[in-house]
Amino acid sequence: PKRHEVRQFEVETDLVGPVDASYTNQDNSKIVATDTQKNTIFLLSQKLNFERSSREDFAILIARHFVRKYPDAVHACTVKIAETVWERVQVAGAAHHHAFTKKGTFVGHAFVKAEGSRGNVTSVESGVNGLTVLKTTKSSFEKFVRDEYTVLPEVSDRLLATSIDARWHYPAPGVGAVTTNFAGASEAVVRTIIQTFAGPPNTGVDSPSLQHTAFEIGRAVIRAVPAVQDISLNCPNIHNIPVDFSPFPGQKNQDATGNPDVFWATKEPFGIIKVTVARDNRRRSRI
């Protein structure tokens, strides 16, 4: 039998229209009720097919529906979708017919805005939240500003970890047909983020700072995924601090190479590194 497929979306709609009278004159004639919005989304989901069923495609479908269906009541519609991604279970090397496991540490999202009775899509944004990555070497942090307030030591080799929130924009289709392969492009973006952070499998890549790594990730995405117009990265620095063994006589926090091997992951305080890399008209990356 045909294999089952799963898509899990959490949808938020924001309708803009001439509803002032509902606040001031007890006139609800221009309100599209929450119940109507909920039921519409359930019914529209049946129009998806598994060749074109990305969160971006669904958001465009919803946004266009509301501005076209209610031109007098809805002048603009924005749609936000958070996607929980499910991956097919593998059993004895074979893909399971109907069993899935949650994929990755992150949640995907889409944000679409449509305006006017023709369903003019003016913005298509995609992204992921909580893409958590770590590497245990090839990271340093040196030659930063030092003064009487600084106690942070310079390190030539450290653990580097972050939980990346990334947002990127695709060309808006306007009133025309949607031609972008959103699912394929989003998969390529996530793959490029992870691979650029990690570097080659046997050697890795040097990271002199999280700032530099974030920029290199953004630049790699712009180069690798032509549909992406710009990408913004929000990267909190998750510190992993070597545990001080000095209070314990005869104990050292060292592995066979002399480096620390016991760490504690701190939650606060931490820095948040932010960067935006965009494609310009000359097809170069800029920041």
Side-chain angles (χ1 to χ4, degrees), residues 6-260:
V6 174
R7 296 288 188 276
Q8 182 176 335
F9 298 134
E10 180 180 319
V11 181
E12 177 183 328
T13 53
D14 185 3
L15 308 183
V16 178
V19 295
D20 290 2
S22 67
Y23 293 88
T24 60
N25 294 329
Q26 305 178 49
D27 180 358
N28 298 334
S29 61
K30 300 297 185 183
I31 292 180
V32 180
T34 303
D35 179 69
T36 303
Q37 297 179 52
K38 175 200 67 178
N39 295 333
T40 298
I41 291 165
F42 286 148
L43 293 169
L44 287 176
S45 69
Q46 291 194 319
K47 294 188 176 183
L48 295 175
N49 59 67
F50 284 96
E51 285 70 42
R52 181 167 285 280
S53 63
S54 70
R55 56 185 178 264
E56 296 86 358
D57 288 308
F58 194 28
I60 290 172
L61 180 65
I62 295 167
R64 279 181 166 170
H65 171 87
F66 282 113
V67 294
R68 288 172 174 172
K69 179 71 173 178
Y70 310 102
D72 296 330
V74 180
H75 295 171
C77 173
T78 56
V79 179
K80 293 174 64 177
I81 293 180
E83 179 181 10
T84 299
V85 180
W86 293 92
E87 190 172 48
R88 193 175 300 279
V89 167
Q90 302 289 317
V91 178
H96 201 279
H97 174 263
H98 58 266
F100 301 83
T101 184
K102 190 177 291 188
K103 181 179 179 180
T105 62
F106 59 90
V107 174
H109 73 260
F111 180 90
V112 168
K113 184 175 183 178
E115 300 176 298
S117 60
R118 297 180 63 203
N120 180 28
V121 176
T122 58
S123 178
V124 179
E125 176 190 299
S126 189
V128 293
N129 291 336
L131 177 55
T132 304
V133 290
L134 176 147
K135 60 182 180 181
T136 55
T137 189
K138 291 283 187 175
S139 173
S140 60
F141 191 54
E142 302 173 295
K143 299 179 181 179
F144 48 88
V145 173
R146 301 199 69 88
D147 59 21
E148 66 272 25
Y149 300 105
T150 308
V151 296
L152 181 70
E154 296 191 1
V155 288
S156 60
D157 192 21
R158 64 173 183 169
L159 275 66
L160 179 64
T162 184
S163 181
I164 299 171
D165 291 345
R167 298 164 44 232
W168 57 91
H169 287 94
Y170 296 113
V175 298
V178 178
T179 58
T180 302
N181 178 1
F182 295 116
S186 293
E187 288 178 4
V189 170
V190 172
R191 182 171 61 249
T192 301
I193 290 173
I194 295 171
Q195 291 179 351
T196 306
F197 176 86
N202 294 323
T203 60
V205 62
D206 289 327
S207 172
S209 67
L210 182 53
Q211 289 87 337
H212 177 76
T213 295
F215 173 69
E216 288 299 316
I217 289 171
R219 184 161 62 172
V221 168
I222 292 295
R223 290 173 171 172
V225 191
V228 172
Q229 301 301 293
D230 59 74
I231 182 168
S232 297
L233 302 166
N234 187 89
C235 305
N237 204 336
I238 302 174
H239 297 292
N240 292 272
I241 310 298
V243 176
D244 181 11
F245 278 23
S246 61
F248 309 104
Q251 301 295 320
K252 292 184 178 181
N253 186 5
Q254 290 183 350
D255 61 15
T257 67
N259 291 313

